[in-house]
Amino acid sequence: MSHLIVLGFDNVADAFRIRSVLAAMQQGEHVLELEDAVVVSRTSKGKVRLHQPVNLTVVGALGGAICGGFIGLIMFNPLMGAVIGAASGAVSGLFSDIGVTDQLMKDVGETLQPGTAALFVRIKMSTSHKVHLGLRQYAGIGRVLQTSMPKELEHELRHAVEGTAPIAEVPEGGERAPTSV
């Protein structure tokens, strides 16, 4: 099951930094699997920009050109096959949307203050405690705007990202253990 997490940042650089940290956790440590990670920023002039790590139109065009070229070889016209394949791949990539829809991200981007950013992350799988430990060194630079995670995981994420006090465990007697701030 995938979870959507939207983090808010006071500047664009911090959003890119956290996206890079999450990507490194995926590639190097394999503690999470990202489906999508898009930075949405609002310029000082109020324009909303989506910073997607992969341009699906270009990927579709390249894939289509290669497939079309092979089909064209079989039909003795590789150039025509590559052209048709690239065009169909580009159209396919243009209308593909992995994870979060562009319209949703743009709508949220319209609510951002100029100069700020949000990071939309769609996580397919994670070892949440390792992700939270990895994010704690950046505590306080962002805030959780929205998440589809269960409440206990959301609290842990808020603690890691926002630097808030952790939620104390409730012992079997039913009273909450005291926390120190």
Side-chain angles (χ1 to χ4, degrees):
M1 171 157 180
S2 296
H3 292 291
L4 173 65
I5 301 166
V6 183
L7 305 174
F9 299 92
D10 292 334
N11 61 67
V12 179
D14 287 341
F16 279 108
R17 182 180 310 135
I18 296 301
R19 183 172 80 176
S20 295
V21 167
L22 292 173
M25 286 182 193
Q26 174 176 292
Q27 293 174 348
E29 301 167 37
H30 305 291
V31 296
L32 63 92
E33 185 177 335
L34 294 173
E35 287 183 343
D36 210 355
V38 179
V39 173
V40 178
S41 64
R42 188 158 188 198
T43 66
S44 58
K45 295 181 180 180
K47 182 175 167 102
V48 175
R49 292 209 171 116
L50 303 182
H51 308 274
Q52 297 176 326
V54 177
N55 184 333
L56 296 175
T57 303
V58 172
V59 170
L62 290 174
I66 291 169
C67 290
F70 284 129
I71 292 170
L73 276 173
I74 294 170
M75 303 177 97
F76 302 109
N77 194 346
L79 183 60
M80 182 59 80
V83 169
I84 292 171
S88 63
V91 169
S92 172
L94 182 63
F95 293 110
S96 297
D97 209 344
I98 299 172
V100 185
T101 65
D102 289 354
Q103 190 58 51
L104 172 66
M105 291 185 286
K106 288 177 183 176
D107 290 345
V108 170
E110 290 293 333
T111 68
L112 296 173
Q113 295 296 317
T116 64
L119 173 61
F120 283 77
V121 181
R122 192 158 177 92
I123 297 177
K124 185 174 184 178
M125 177 282 308
S126 74
T127 309
S128 60
H129 66 281
K130 289 183 180 180
V131 173
H132 298 158
L133 285 174
L135 290 175
R136 282 196 183 145
Q137 64 182 322
Y138 304 99
I141 68 169
R143 62 201 166 281
V144 177
L145 300 179
Q146 180 180 355
T147 177
S148 65
M149 300 171 77
K151 286 295 180 196
E152 63 276 359
L153 291 177
E154 181 180 335
H155 290 301
E156 291 177 21
L157 178 66
R158 284 185 190 282
H159 173 60
V161 173
E162 298 174 0
T164 59
I167 302 299
E169 296 293 322
V170 177
E172 292 203 21
E175 292 184 12
R176 186 172 294 278
T179 60
S180 58
V181 178

